[in-house]
Amino acid sequence: MDKPVDEDQLGAATSAPARGYLYDAAGRDREVEVTPEALEQLHDRAILWIDIPGRDAAEIERVGALLQLDAVSVTALADPGASLRLDNYGVYLQFAALAAPDSSRAVEPGRRLNQDLRVDFVVGRNWVVTVHDQDVRYLRAFRGQDKADTETGALSAAALTASLLDWHLEGYFTEVSRIEAAVDEIDERILAAPSEAGLLEGILSIRRRISHLRRTLMAQRSVFYGLSRPDMGQSTDGDASAAFGSLSGRFERAVDEIEHTRDLIVGSFELFTSRSAQQTNDLVKALTFFTVIIGSTAAVAGLFGMNFDPPFFRTGSIGFFAVTLGLFALGLVAWVVGRKRRWI
């Protein structure tokens, strides 16, 4: 691109003017103003990507008028709470997707997670529009990979959109990797110190993350499956079905990965309960062993408290200390035997 791109501005949380990125395989990739002149530069080997951060209604209406979008379409783009349905407007497709929750950063207080991560797509024949509320990491990543002029303009708009959606799904794989690392960490804590405070809360927290991730992804099932239908390909170009077809398989793989993490956290809970039970059994075994020792010494002490007067009972202090020493020796021998046989 001719102009450097500030990644912090792409998809910023505040409203900003639409930004246009012209991928021209016959010329130079460059950032352009979203004006009628930018549309005039489009040809068979050029694609215009229009990104509208902040979901500003006035800016969406301006771009909608420029691209001759339907009024219902423009209204849906300005509404962050609209459904995730896939709509076919004849000359373009419109749908929305929910980016993977990013556990590496905190969500702003008072904002709904799904609303913050919603990205609306409008796909025409040689242009693509994206609308979102705040920073979307995979959009920045897609832009950041371009270090020089590319052949992206030779792609169709559907193929460019499919690439963006593939980056979109990659966010789910990344989050699954973070969850798996968290599961490994908590497993190590369980094995090292099963009685450590907060282990169960940690397991429940990871379980909630997995459930939320799965709900977010499954909410988009109709979109990913719908894009591969033959009738949707007629709204953009002939190779749309091929471009979108592989996404359904990628989507299924993401679902499988999340299901796998659910099995992992169930395994962590089973490990936690097993280690807790083992710790309880060890404690009960130790208590039982010491109870036997104490009971044995109590039996001997009780024997010497019987109402008989044998000569040994008249040995005075020597007999008292001899019996006490013998009981101590008995307990010590029992402890050594118990440790050697791993009873305690």
Side-chain angles (χ1 to χ4, degrees), residues 49 121 128 130 138-139 142 159-168:
W49 174 20
F121 289 82
V128 178
T130 55
Y138 71 83
L139 295 181
F142 184 87
L160 175 62
T161 305
S163 296
L164 290 173
L165 290 176
D166 189 77
W167 281 76
H168 166 84

Side-chain angles (χ1 to χ4, degrees), residues 13-24:
T14 57
S15 299
R19 303 181 68 173
Y21 307 101
L22 181 64
Y23 295 95
D24 191 348

Side-chain angles (χ1 to χ4, degrees), residues 291-332:
T291 299
V292 171
I293 296 177
I294 295 172
S296 299
T297 56
V300 174
L303 178 65
F304 284 91
M306 297 172 62
N307 294 325
F308 296 95
D309 193 22
F312 181 78
F313 289 173
R314 296 193 295 271
T315 56
S317 297
I318 296 176
F320 171 77
F321 287 112
V323 171
T324 303
L325 182 61
L327 293 177
F328 178 78
L330 174 64
L332 181 61

Side-chain angles (χ1 to χ4, degrees), residues 213-293:
L213 189 67
R214 184 179 185 277
R215 287 195 304 269
T216 303
L217 181 61
M218 293 304 294
Q220 307 165 73
R221 178 171 52 187
S222 60
V223 172
F224 280 91
Y225 288 163
L227 286 172
S228 60
R229 294 200 305 264
D231 60 299
M232 291 299 173
Q234 300 304 317
S235 299
T236 52
D237 47 57
D239 69 342
S241 296
F244 292 135
S246 61
L247 286 175
S248 58
R250 181 83 159 157
F251 175 83
E252 290 291 347
R253 182 183 171 191
V255 173
D256 291 341
E257 290 287 336
I258 295 175
E259 294 293 344
H260 175 64
T261 58
R262 294 180 69 182
D263 294 337
L264 289 179
I265 197 61
V266 170
S268 296
F269 181 75
E270 292 176 350
L271 178 62
F272 172 75
T273 55
S274 297
R275 288 287 289 146
S276 298
Q278 181 184 7
Q279 191 176 43
T280 301
N281 290 338
D282 292 341
L283 178 61
V284 171
K285 185 167 59 176
L287 291 175
T288 302
F289 182 78
F290 286 114
T291 299
V292 171
I293 296 177

